[in-house]
Every structure is written in C-alpha cells, then in structure tokens.
Amino acid sequence: AQKVTQAQTEISVVEKEDVTLDCVYETRDTTYYLFWYKQPPSGELVFLIRRNSFDEQNEISGRYSWNFQKSTSSFNFTITASQVVDSAVYFCALSEPHSSASKIIFGSGTRLSIRP
Amino acid sequence: DADVTQTPRNRITKTGKRIMLECSQTKGHDRMYWYRQDPGLGLRLIYYSFDVKDINKGEISDGYSVSRQAQAKFSLSLESAIPNQTALYFCATSQGGQETQYFGPGTRLLVL
C-alpha cells in the first residue's frame, strides 16, 4: 500500500540556517511520482516540485534542493539560507499513475518556523 | 486570475443543514478532486472525477456527495452537516497523463 511519512511534525530554526525536511515513502509500484507542496499561513497549497521514479537526479531551484534516493525510499527537501517567508507547512506526496485511482497520498506535513 | 477557484472561501453552518461547496477551473484539465484537511492528518481524498461522466469515491466519502456539472465545475455537497465535518476543503485539478494536481485556495467550513 502507498504511504508517505513525514516524521518531523515541527521544525524551528533561526533565519539563514539550512534546514532539511524528511520524507519517506512506501509503494509497490515501479512507476510513481513524488511531490512537495507548500502551505503558507494564508492556507493555499502551492506546488513546488514533481519527480518521477525513473529520475533520481537531484534538483536545485534557487535556495531549494531535493534529494531523491530510491535505495532508502526517501525524497528530502532542503532549504538553504532559510528566510522568514519560508515559514509554512510542507507536504510530501506520492502518486501511482497505474493504480485504480490516480490520486495523491499526502504525508501529514512538517510545520517549519523560521525565526528572525 | 486564479486557475482554480472555490466558493465560498469561508462558511459557518449549523448541524443538519445542507451545504454546497463549489469549484471551478480554467486550466482545461479533465480531472477534478475534493480533499479535506484536518490538523495533523494531511489531506484526505473525498471524491474524484476523471471526466464529466466519471465519479469515484475516495477514502472518506461518507456524508458527502458530488456533482460534475461540466468539465470545469465540480461541486461538493454535505447533505446534513455534522460538527466533525468542520475542516478545510480543497478542490484540485489535473490533466490525465500528468500527475501534478493544482489546488484551489480552500474553503474553511465550520459546522456548529
């Protein structure tokens, strides 16, 4: 069965520190997609990134980077030089396109607080 | 203008009332979804629709119904609201073959 675990419920760091949000997933499929979404205090869900299971190349986008490792079933998200505007709840998610319902399973989220 | 809109954005209702939440999208996507978010539980799928004639139950469909009036519109109804349906509700869309879902701004529902 699909499962996404975000073991860190809350993280608090001081501005300019680097922070890594962990995500571990379970799936039986060989083809799947992984996502990260950001939910700022205003409440909307913002899509950040999608990776497919065949592409383990790490990705960097500005201060954001993602480390995908199939060997450990992890898809971790690192924010470098954090800023107060990064404060949000971050969700990791998994979808299996060949399942009977092409839906996304979300982790329970990690609340990130960046202190000035 | 937002690609996925939800109305109302906030709603307070009483136990036993019928209420409808509406979702519209201009992205041209064929798939639409309704989720609810509760603190500490992430998002859970209520219903999803792959096209106008295709409606499917998600993991927590009891107490809810949906209608796909057009490709761009997907509404969620609570026939008789109860307090444990108090939550943040999200509509999402995706294009078949593309797995990324795009979310509306959410509707905060309070059932007294």
Side-chain angles (χ1 to χ4, degrees), chain A residues 1-2 25-33 53-54 68 70 73 94-102, chain B residues 99:
Chain A
Q2 310 163 276
Y25 62 92
E26 294 178 26
T27 177
R28 294 177 184 168
D29 275 10
T30 56
T31 302
Y32 53 90
Y33 293 87
S53 52
F54 299 107
F68 175 27
K70 290 177 75 170
S73 297
L94 164 73
S95 81
E96 298 170 344
H98 301 306
S99 67
S100 58
S102 183
Chain B
E99 294 302 306

Side-chain angles (χ1 to χ4, degrees), chain A residues 33 35 37 39 41-47 49-50 89 91 95-98 100-109, chain B residues 9 31 33 35 37 40-45 48 50 58-59 88 90 94 97-106 108:
Chain A
Y33 293 87
F35 305 83
Y37 285 85
Q39 187 175 38
S42 50
E44 72 270 25
L45 278 164
V46 179
F47 166 72
I49 189 171
R50 180 188 87 175
V89 180
F91 292 97
S95 81
E96 298 170 344
H98 301 306
S100 58
S102 183
K103 57 184 172 74
I104 295 180
I105 298 295
F106 285 83
S108 55
Chain B
R9 294 294 311 279
R31 300 180 177 188
Y33 309 79
Y35 292 88
Q37 182 181 15
L41 293 179
L43 277 77
R44 292 182 292 166
L45 183 65
Y48 61 101
F50 283 0
E59 57 183 301
L88 179 57
F90 285 102
S94 69
Q98 303 291 323
E99 294 302 306
T100 304
Q101 293 185 16
Y102 295 91
F103 287 80
R108 291 190 181 277

